[in-house]
Amino acid sequence: MATTAPTTETSTTPSNRKNALADSLRKHFSGDTPITGKARSFAKERPWATAALAGMAALAVGNLLRGRI
């Protein structure tokens, strides 16, 4: 009996709900495009994820500056 090693092709497998955001981040932030263009294209494709990331960043900055003003 001959056994063959399983082949894994990550580029041709469709993304599922668990890794769709990671795939989208990888797609938009790879390459030589300026970071502003990368962020703009990601924001256009995934506006709700962008809003959640911006909200979390705002909370982090607010907690960092709390008590210093």
Side-chain angles (χ1 to χ4, degrees), residues 51-64:
L53 289 172
M56 293 304 294
L59 284 172
V61 169
N63 283 332
L64 180 71

Side-chain angles (χ1 to χ4, degrees), residues 12-63:
T12 60
T13 57
S15 63
N16 57 19
R17 294 177 70 93
K18 283 186 174 182
N19 61 0
L21 181 60
D23 291 343
S24 183
L25 283 170
R26 199 172 297 114
K27 180 178 96 175
H28 287 290
F29 289 99
S30 64
D32 293 335
T33 310
I35 191 71
T36 56
K38 293 176 183 181
R40 190 174 293 122
S41 68
F42 179 77
K44 284 182 182 179
E45 185 173 319
R46 296 194 170 269
W48 288 102
T50 304
L53 289 172
M56 293 304 294
L59 284 172
V61 169
N63 283 332

